Amino acid sequence: MLQIQNLSVAYGNHVALQDVSLAVAPGEMLAVIGPNGAGKSTMVRAISGIQPIRSGGVLIGEQLLPVHELSAAERARLLAVVPQARELPGAFTVYETVLLGRTAYLGWMGKSQKQDRDLVAWALARTNLSGLAQRRVAELSGGEQQRVLLARALVQSAPVLLLDEPTTNLDLQHQSGLLNLVRELAVEKQLAVLVVLHDLNLAGLYCDRVALVVNGRLQAIGSPQDVLTSQNLTDTFHVPIEVIRHPAYGTPLVLPDGVAHMPHTTSFPTL
Ligand code: ADP
């Protein structure tokens, strides 16, 4: 369980998040969307406890503990973060990197127990990385590195999972593969998942609810159908945006409505 209450964050005089309140239930996947500079990354950092907050609070886990009053180890057992792939050190092997996710559980000598190694083996299998365990992270593709970050987060066995634009730089197959996997894990492990997504269509397809952040404020929150509307998105992104229903799933499909201005042919030569 994740609860954000009246959260405000400022960088000096610049208020980056203002009075944001929302909750994510176990097993639920919430997408956070919004234009560049809206405050989405600030929100992820504030929830993860590494960003000082101006007012309000973030409560996590079954006992709703305040993130900003916990030690780093306590936080790591309750909340796992999948950062953007460029933050991954390349010199370690995949196995070593994923084992780092167990740091908060290791004894004072930092020695792993069988239970830690079993969890790493499970996370590697679940993210389809078992065959790459001894490879250096720097040698992996973008999609593989993203899965390493997810595996490292999973071994934290934390009830709250945060992901900051995990699909950036992934091709279509890997975008849907990653989000399908996160969705499966959210249900299987009853994780409360908050994921920042650039792609509005992925938010609509994979997430139970969507939070729209604009200028540091929570502009709308609700089902993809309620939030991903032509009106909301046109107001937010300042370009005409059309929304239609996905033919198979009924979820909103977002289409920037700029095609009329583009030169294009109406007939194609037959070969
Ligand atoms: P998003 O992730 O939605 O693109 P950010 O959370 O990165 O937005 O940024 C929100 C606002 O806070 C922006 O106006 C940005 O310029 C500002 N900001 C972000 N990080 C810092 C920082 N470290 N120092 C000062 N201003 C920052």
Side-chain angles (χ1 to χ4, degrees):
M1 168 61 120
L2 166 67
Q3 256 184 37
I4 303 175
Q5 294 178 339
N6 306 105
L7 182 67
S8 295
V9 176
Y11 299 104
N13 287 332
H14 177 71
V15 179
L17 271 188
Q18 192 155 19
D19 206 23
V20 171
S21 297
L22 58 86
V24 188
E28 187 187 25
M29 203 160 151
L30 174 79
V32 176
I33 60 164
N36 292 333
K40 304 178 299 294
S41 295
T42 300
M43 191 194 285
V44 168
R45 288 199 300 273
I47 298 170
S48 52
I50 56 168
Q51 171 78 49
I53 61 179
R54 176 185 263 191
S55 57
V58 177
L59 307 173
I60 49 172
E62 228 168 274
Q63 295 165 292
L64 290 175
L65 299 172
V67 165
H68 292 84
E69 291 169 27
L70 301 176
S71 70
E74 285 169 328
R75 273 202 315 261
R77 289 185 213 121
L78 290 173
L79 182 140
V81 184
V82 177
Q84 299 187 0
R86 61 172 183 269
E87 294 171 37
L88 193 57
F92 293 107
T93 65
V94 170
Y95 187 91
E96 288 162 347
T97 305
V98 175
L99 185 60
L100 280 176
R102 292 297 295 166
T103 305
Y105 295 89
L106 302 183
W108 68 276
M109 293 287 279
K111 216 172 147 28
S112 62
Q113 309 291 319
K114 179 172 184 307
Q115 184 197 354
D116 302 306
R117 294 189 292 271
D118 286 350
L119 255 172
V120 172
W122 167 80
L124 289 174
R126 210 65 185 74
T127 52
N128 209 10
L129 288 170
S130 305
L132 300 177
Q134 296 313 321
R135 290 272 293 277
R136 302 230 167 264
V137 167
E139 297 165 9
L140 304 183
S141 72
E144 289 161 351
Q145 290 188 354
Q146 201 64 60
R147 298 208 304 275
V148 172
L149 287 168
L150 178 61
R152 190 184 68 178
L154 289 176
V155 300
Q156 285 178 236
S157 304
V160 177
L161 182 63
L162 307 180
L163 302 100
D164 194 358
E165 292 188 11
T167 55
T168 313
N169 302 324
L170 299 188
D171 63 26
L172 276 178
Q173 181 198 354
H174 288 96
Q175 287 176 1
S176 64
L178 187 87
L179 290 174
N180 266 321
L181 175 59
V182 172
R183 225 191 128 74
E184 269 173 40
L185 288 161
V187 174
E188 188 181 310
K189 299 275 168 197
Q190 285 295 291
L191 307 176
V193 178
L194 182 148
V195 52
V196 174
L197 285 176
H198 226 68
D199 187 317
L200 306 175
N201 288 319
L202 293 178
L205 263 177
Y206 291 96
C207 296
D208 302 297
R209 284 190 305 145
V210 178
L212 172 62
V213 179
V214 183
N215 283 333
R217 291 178 178 274
L218 186 59
Q219 197 75 22
I221 184 165
S223 68
Q225 284 82 351
D226 287 346
V227 175
L228 298 174
T229 62
S230 169
Q231 183 76 56
N232 273 345
L233 300 177
T234 300
D235 290 351
T236 300
F237 294 96
H238 307 295
V239 286
I241 291 176
E242 201 180 327
V243 179
I244 60 172
R245 273 167 65 90
H246 191 292
Y249 307 114
T251 53
L253 266 184
V254 177
L255 306 170
D257 191 15
V259 182
H261 310 293
M262 284 167 54
H264 63 281
T265 51
T266 47
S267 59
F268 296 93
T270 46
L271 295 175

